């Protein structure tokens, strides 16, 4: 299957790049979107939803986005900050009293959003069945002690961030994270994104195809180190994706479903100073808070330098070499999906795919598409 959809003439190199990778078999199925100040200049898709290449990728195909889900969860928190329901500098325990246990009374909302709370994984034993059980997963985090001094460094909260932020959303809004994203973000933005997946949408979800054989657990790990504790304390694995349990769960860090168009529509609220689809979702003052640096150094889990703002990584050539500096924030998902918000250019770029690629922060394909987008923007303004 070739590339379908639309793109303006100036973004022809992006279309050509996607077409070439589909033709070469490097992509199985994918979608790419570029929103420029509310105009969807790129809305492309192509390939197949299954490894057998029997089912074409359609305009409304969805895919499990792994950690790109966190961009929606963080946006939910920012909407509540904007409404005065959450205070970034107030202790989490103000909203969730049980959370103060084991010396966590000092952990603030901002620490959860910036991966600096010290709760990057669940203490063992903790299973994927526990992860699917919202009350259990929340209670376990409330009961455990942080693994490092909160606020002193970032340690990527691979699967816990969705639980921590999601519990705050529940406590202050009265809605589940699923419900909040659906009614307060997806609906006003007219964005085809969701936490988990409604059963009626399961037929249009692409299979996520992971490397075969799957990557094993590294040998020689320091089992008491942050990396190992986080890895083993984050129980969801590739084999869980696309199961009924995965799709039915509420995992605000990892089981969002959507496509590039939906992500670009929802997250353009940040790129465009708070407005999306003719409505104001955030004030400009709240958008500015995204760029309040909370951590800047080698992440204790990822092992690479990351500059964390409020809920999003900030542009840094050490992290994303083809992204210019400036007011740009982003995050990625396992295998390569990404959504990037460039406030200086009022551009939102997103990419979703179903063939899992290599790389800690985006795959080689991710970086290549980012490069093409910025080459176009630099050439045409």
């Amino acid at each position: 299957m070739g590339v379908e959809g639309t793109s303006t003439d100036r973004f022809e190199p992006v279309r050509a790049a996607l077409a070439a990778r589909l033709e070469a078999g490097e992509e199985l199925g994918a979608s790419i979107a570029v929103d420029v100040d509310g105009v969807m200049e790129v809305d492309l898709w192509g390939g197949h939803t299954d490894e057998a290449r029997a089912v074409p990728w359609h305009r409304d195909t969805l895919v499990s986005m792994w950690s790109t889900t966190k961009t929606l969860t963080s946006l939910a928190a920012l909407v509540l900050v904007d409404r005065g329901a959450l205070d970034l500098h107030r202790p989490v325990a103000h909203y969730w009293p049980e959370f103060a246990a084991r010396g966590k009374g000092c952990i603030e909302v901002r620490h959860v959003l910036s991966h600096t709370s010290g709760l990057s994984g669940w203490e063992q034993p903790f299973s994927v069945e526990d992860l699917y059980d919202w009350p259990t997963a929340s209670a376990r985090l409330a009961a455990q002690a942080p693994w490092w001094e909160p606020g002193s460094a970032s340690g990527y909260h691979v699967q816990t961030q969705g639980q921590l932020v999601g519990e705050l959303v529940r406590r202050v809004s009265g809605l589940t994270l699923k419900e909040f994203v659906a009614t307060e973000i997806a609906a006003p933005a007219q964005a085809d994104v969701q936490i988990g997946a409604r059963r009626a949408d399961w037929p249009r979800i692409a299979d996520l195809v992971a490397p075969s054989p799957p990557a094993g657990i590294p040998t020689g790990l320091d089992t008491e180190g942050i990396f190992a504790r986080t890895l083993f304390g984050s129980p969801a694995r590739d084999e869980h994706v696309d199961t009924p349990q995965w799709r039915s769960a509420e995992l605000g860090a990892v089981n969002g479903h959507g496509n590039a168009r939906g992500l670009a529509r929802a997250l353009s609220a940040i790129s465009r100073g708070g407005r999306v689809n003719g409505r104001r979702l955030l004030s400009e003052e709240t958008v500015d808070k995204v760029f309040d640096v909370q951590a800047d150094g080698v992440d204790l889990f990822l092992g690479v330098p990351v500059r964390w703002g409020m809920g999003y990584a900030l542009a840094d050539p050490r992290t994303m070499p083809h992204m210019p500096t400036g007011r740009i924030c982003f995050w990625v998902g396992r295998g390569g999906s990404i959504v990037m918000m460039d406030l200086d250019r009022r551009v939102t770029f997103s990419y979703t795919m179903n063939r899992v690629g290599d790389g800690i922060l985006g795959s080689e394909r991710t970086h290549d598409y980012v490069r093409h987008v910025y080459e176009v923007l630099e050439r045409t303004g």
Side-chain angles (χ1 to χ4, degrees):
M1 293 293 295
V3 176
E4 299 185 67
T6 60
S7 59
T8 56
D9 290 344
R10 66 172 179 158
F11 280 105
E12 176 58 30
V14 176
R15 175 189 281 271
L18 177 59
R21 290 186 178 274
L22 285 167
E23 177 67 24
E26 296 166 1
E27 292 280 17
L28 179 56
S31 62
I32 293 178
V34 181
D35 177 287
V36 182
D37 201 12
V39 177
M40 199 69 72
E41 289 206 34
V42 176
D43 183 7
L44 300 172
W45 62 90
H48 296 84
T49 66
D50 61 326
E51 196 166 15
R53 300 179 186 272
V55 183
W57 187 295
H58 295 294
R59 183 181 189 276
D60 67 346
T61 293
L62 304 175
V63 68
S64 190
M65 301 183 297
W66 274 109
S67 286
T68 307
T69 306
K70 293 180 175 73
T71 63
L72 296 169
T73 299
S74 293
L75 182 56
L78 290 174
V79 169
L80 289 168
V81 168
D82 197 70
R83 295 175 182 175
L86 271 181
D87 184 333
L88 291 167
H89 296 275
R90 182 161 277 181
V92 171
H94 174 80
Y95 309 100
W96 180 3
E98 308 95 303
F99 188 81
R102 305 285 300 279
K104 299 195 300 303
C106 64
I107 295 176
E108 300 174 5
V109 174
R110 64 190 178 97
H111 296 139
V112 170
L113 282 170
S114 61
H115 303 267
T116 64
S117 77
L119 296 169
S120 57
W122 279 271
E123 294 282 7
Q124 293 299 294
F126 187 82
S127 67
V128 72
E129 288 74 23
D130 295 326
L131 180 65
Y132 292 151
D133 184 330
W134 187 277
T136 295
S138 289
R140 288 287 301 275
L141 286 174
Q144 73 182 58
W147 293 345
W148 66 90
E149 180 184 352
S152 64
S154 73
Y156 184 48
H157 292 21
V158 183
Q159 293 170 23
T160 57
Q161 196 205 36
Q163 196 73 36
L164 294 166
V165 177
E167 187 65 33
L168 285 169
V169 169
R170 284 173 177 250
R171 299 268 173 159
V172 304
S173 74
L175 299 174
T176 68
L177 181 62
K178 277 186 178 184
E179 292 167 343
F180 193 92
V181 168
T183 61
E184 306 300 316
I185 294 174
Q190 295 185 355
D192 196 2
V193 291
Q194 52 192 297
I195 304 294
R198 294 179 292 269
R199 185 174 289 272
D201 292 324
W202 289 9
R204 61 189 180 104
I205 298 175
D207 297 337
L208 202 67
V209 179
S212 182
I217 301 298
T219 58
L221 284 181
D222 173 8
T223 57
E224 296 303 313
I226 298 301
F227 177 83
R229 295 178 77 183
T230 303
L231 180 66
F232 295 123
S234 306
R237 299 287 183 263
D238 289 333
E239 61 266 26
H240 301 126
V241 178
D242 297 330
T243 64
Q245 294 87 349
W246 178 272
R247 294 174 179 178
S248 300
E250 182 177 0
L251 310 178
V254 292
N255 86 329
H257 289 75
N259 50 41
R261 182 190 320 103
L263 277 174
R265 281 183 174 166
L267 276 300
S268 67
I270 292 177
S271 314
R272 303 181 64 221
R275 297 191 67 86
V276 60
N277 198 34
R279 298 180 58 176
R280 180 161 292 284
L281 202 61
L282 302 170
S283 66
E284 292 187 6
E285 291 78 11
T286 298
V287 173
D288 288 341
K289 295 179 190 297
V290 171
F291 296 90
D292 185 357
V293 176
Q294 299 297 300
D296 188 358
V298 175
D299 185 274
L300 297 177
F301 175 75
L302 296 171
V304 297
V306 184
R307 181 175 295 135
W308 286 108
M310 293 290 188
Y312 303 90
L314 308 181
D316 186 331
R318 300 171 301 173
T319 308
M320 295 294 281
H322 299 297
M323 244 182 231
T325 55
R327 283 166 58 82
I328 303 172
C329 59
F330 71 98
W331 195 238
V332 298
R334 167 160 166 70
S337 62
I338 185 173
V339 61
M340 177 195 76
M341 294 74 79
D342 185 330
L343 281 72
D344 293 335
R345 298 163 183 83
R346 297 176 74 85
V347 167
T348 311
F349 161 71
S350 56
Y351 158 62
T352 64
M353 77 298 133
N354 63 342
R355 184 184 295 285
V356 174
D358 294 326
I360 297 174
L361 295 178
S363 68
E364 186 273 333
R365 286 171 275 151
T366 313
H367 295 288
D368 188 50
Y369 296 136
V370 170
R371 177 178 64 83
H372 280 292
V373 167
Y374 274 108
E375 285 177 351
V376 169
L377 294 173
E378 288 167 8
R379 185 174 66 252
T380 62

